[in-house]
Amino acid sequence: MNRTTLSLIAAATALAAVTGFAAVSAPDSADTTATTKTPARLPVERSSLLCPAPSTSELAETAYTSFTPAGTDGAGTGGTAELAPSVAPLDDATAADDEKKDNKDEEKDGEKTGDTAGGDGAKEPAADGAAAEVKPFLALKEPGKPVSGTKNTSDAPALVGTATGRLAPGWTTQQTTTVTGGEGRGLFGTSCTSPDTDFWFPGASTDDARQDYVHLTNPDDTAAVADIALYGKEGTLKSDTGEGIPVPARSSVPVLLSTLTGEAEPNVTVHVSTRTGRVGAVVNAADEKLGGDWLAASADPAPRVVLPGIPSDATSVRLVVFAPGEDDAELKVRLAGESGTIVPASAAETLNVKSGMTASLDLGDVTKGEAGSVLLGPAEGAGETPVVAALRVVRGKGTDQEVAFIPATGPVTERATAADNRAKGSTLSLAAPDGTGKVKVTASAGSGGGEQVVKTYTVKGGTTQAVTPPVPQGLKGSYALTVEPESGGPVHAARTLALTQDGVPMFTVQTLPDDRGMVSVPATKEDLSVLK
């Protein structure tokens, strides 16, 4: 029997085995025609978060709160959620050379930070150059109960984390840094981000009064390469150094925006994209007079955007908008307050945003003592041009001023969470730009104890409702707020955390985009035609 005959027999046997398995595994139904089914909504099994290096100030105190909501159907029983310092793996050859040179007098020193955390701390790389074991700084044990930790050193690193199993759906971590003095004094808050390949940051600046850094954090074991483009009021700002920025594996790189261009502009849109790999990106903005905060990425470009959560006592609000496409945008600017939607007196009839150019609009004390949200949409007769947008919000007067940023954010479609809340100082803003919407708000147990509390809110269409959120019974430590829609129109949410320090009304605002803890999984069906 020749080789060709043997090959044919083997192929026929394999085909029969596959066909037999498919037949045994086929559904009981006799219908073998293709049918269209609604994709199932299932919880994610893995999620990643990246927290930037908090501050280089000796006066910085940073608190972390990590949380996964409880009660996700189908999330299973196992899983972990851990955040650890970002550490770049050393090149094997370099490590081997270092080991030969320093083998006789090597010393291994742990990280001396005096930090407290829910995890086991971290170790610095070994002096012999070998890859060091990196232990988690913060480790979440169960859904529904947050864990917290602190870092009070100026060299605190960026954190890289992964959650799996039942701890993955909706995993959220808040990083809140208090800087009590210096040009960068203020309350800097940010929700740790998921890695991606594309980010838009309207509201940044290269002005002499600002020190804005974009932090790029790479969670993977291979290097990433990023491009940073800057756009001012006249278009692209010239830059010779914004392209091909290497971000080593499991490392974080801060880039000072003013070093990328010689043009000083007060209102700049930053576009971060990657050529290879993926990164987490967020902008640290510090003003020499107004303090500072983190500027998170805007929601994806859209013709209609909502910017929720302007505090009632805001003394100055500036809107910054960018049109990334090829068409100009003619936008109508509205304010959704507690009693309804109006066109602010400080806004022009329409805001014209040229393609590829950054437009700004000073709205002053637009809220007039009422909490509010800015709504942007096409002007009458204008086209549906996608835009990105952010607000710069100032509280206080004179030397006692503080700044925060509010990027455009999408509605809460299934669930969203703000992880770090205290017994006092938290305000939850809920905006319903269209029809009336009803949401359920859950205050989790505290990181040190307490029992969760649930409350529902109904937000009338075209309004913003700012509420003091529920506080867990017997609260100890910090807690999380989770927002879930129950009925009616879409609701956009933001949380303000306020802390007065030496007369300065420090505050930070985090928008609450949907946590994407659920994904659509298409229905599948055996199809023997693929064997033909």
Side-chain angles (χ1 to χ4, degrees), residues 213-218 222-230 239-249 251-257 259-261 270-279:
Y213 288 83
V214 58
H215 287 243
L216 307 174
T217 306
N218 178 4
T222 56
V225 178
D227 293 333
I228 301 176
L230 307 178
S239 174
D240 297 326
T241 57
E243 295 184 349
I245 299 172
V247 187
S251 293
S252 188
V253 176
V255 180
L256 180 61
L257 296 183
T259 64
L260 300 181
T261 179
V270 180
H271 183 214
V272 175
S273 58
T274 60
R275 299 184 183 187
T276 61
R278 55 182 189 155
V279 297

Side-chain angles (χ1 to χ4, degrees), residues 229-383:
L230 307 178
Y231 302 89
K233 63 180 180 180
E234 299 296 333
T236 303
L237 301 184
K238 295 181 180 179
S239 174
D240 297 326
T241 57
E243 295 184 349
I245 299 172
V247 187
R250 298 188 64 82
S251 293
S252 188
V253 176
V255 180
L256 180 61
L257 296 183
S258 59
T259 64
L260 300 181
T261 179
E263 301 180 52
E265 295 234 9
N267 305 300
V268 170
T269 298
V270 180
H271 183 214
V272 175
S273 58
T274 60
R275 299 184 183 187
T276 61
R278 55 182 189 155
V279 297
V282 63
V283 174
N284 183 291
D287 189 288
E288 63 184 21
K289 294 181 179 180
L290 301 178
D293 202 355
W294 291 99
L295 168 60
S298 172
D300 291 339
R304 292 173 175 79
V305 300
V306 178
L307 302 97
I310 306 173
S312 60
D313 60 351
T315 53
S316 174
V317 177
R318 177 183 296 170
L319 171 66
V320 182
V321 188
F322 180 77
E326 297 180 356
D327 298 326
D328 298 346
E330 286 288 341
L331 301 173
K332 185 176 183 179
V333 181
R334 296 179 298 154
L335 177 73
E338 295 177 1
S339 55
T341 300
I342 63 169
V343 176
S346 51
E349 183 175 345
T350 61
L351 175 64
N352 180 258
V353 185
K354 296 291 186 180
S355 171
M357 301 180 185
T358 298
S360 63
L361 177 63
D362 284 318
L363 299 172
D365 57 343
V366 64
T367 57
K368 305 295 183 182
E370 288 188 3
S373 304
V374 168
L375 313 180
L376 295 180
E380 186 175 353

Side-chain angles (χ1 to χ4, degrees), residues 48-66:
S48 299
L49 289 179
L50 308 173
C51 307
S55 177
T56 57
S57 172
E58 295 289 344
L59 302 176
E61 298 180 359
T62 301
Y64 298 86
T65 302
S66 187

Side-chain angles (χ1 to χ4, degrees), residues 60-141:
E61 298 180 359
T62 301
Y64 298 86
T65 302
S66 187
F67 177 77
T68 293
T72 302
D73 292 337
T77 56
T80 60
E82 298 177 343
L83 284 160
S86 61
V87 176
L90 298 176
D91 179 78
D92 291 339
T94 302
D97 290 342
D98 289 345
E99 184 174 4
K100 292 178 181 178
K101 293 178 182 178
D102 304 326
N103 189 46
K104 294 182 180 180
D105 57 351
E106 65 180 6
E107 294 181 0
K108 298 181 180 180
D109 297 323
E111 183 182 18
K112 299 177 182 180
T113 63
D115 302 332
T116 62
D120 301 319
K123 294 182 180 180
E124 291 288 348
D128 64 354
E133 178 186 2
V134 180
K135 294 184 178 180
F137 164 70
L138 209 59
L140 188 63
K141 301 298 184 183

